[in-house]
Amino acid sequence: MVLLILVLDNPCHLDAVLDAWIEAGIQGITILDSTGVHRKRGRVKSAVPLFLGMSRLTGGSEQYAHHTLFSIVEDASILPAVAHKTAAIIGDLRAPHTGVMFTLHIADIWGVPKS
């Protein structure tokens, strides 16, 4: 069992990534609004200036420019398909301004029903 984490740089890709993960077999996904220190301190220009511009007009905050997705994955054999589908949507994760995706092994877990 692993925890799959994706920090998605471009929020425009969120719905497509969610659909792809569900199609690949991910059952539950938690989504958090997030940002990084460079963006917070103004060192990174957004790849989606219209989105942030609209946020200013509607009184929203441009502080959160990413989405961080979490999911507990019981069957790690689906991870290559998840990674492939994710990259097909957001681009090569080695490229800047795409995102960061990784897994952490889970030793113990509480509060998640056993399947």
Side-chain angles (χ1 to χ4, degrees):
M1 191 173 341
V2 297
L3 177 64
L4 174 63
I5 300 170
L6 169 65
V7 179
L8 180 62
D9 192 84
N10 187 338
C12 295
H13 294 303
L14 178 62
D15 286 332
V17 170
L18 292 173
D19 291 343
W21 281 24
I22 291 166
E23 181 182 306
I26 302 290
Q27 294 191 358
I29 306 165
T30 299
I31 306 159
L32 301 175
D33 292 330
S34 58
T35 193
V37 69
H38 292 294
R39 188 174 309 273
K40 175 71 176 155
R41 293 192 174 161
R43 294 182 201 151
V44 176
K45 297 290 184 193
S46 174
V48 285
L50 177 61
F51 171 77
L52 294 177
M54 292 300 290
S55 175
R56 281 190 210 110
L57 288 175
T58 59
S61 170
E62 67 179 75
Q63 178 180 2
Y64 303 110
H66 301 118
H67 291 297
T68 300
L69 286 64
F70 297 86
S71 185
I72 296 168
V73 179
E74 290 188 40
D75 180 6
S77 69
I78 69 169
L79 292 174
V82 171
H84 178 75
K85 289 175 180 288
T86 302
I89 295 163
I90 67 175
D92 186 342
L93 287 162
R94 294 172 292 189
H97 308 295
T98 53
V100 176
M101 187 165 63
F102 59 97
T103 62
L104 300 171
H105 290 280
I106 298 173
D108 295 304
I109 191 164
W110 298 266
V112 175
K114 298 193 185 228
S115 48

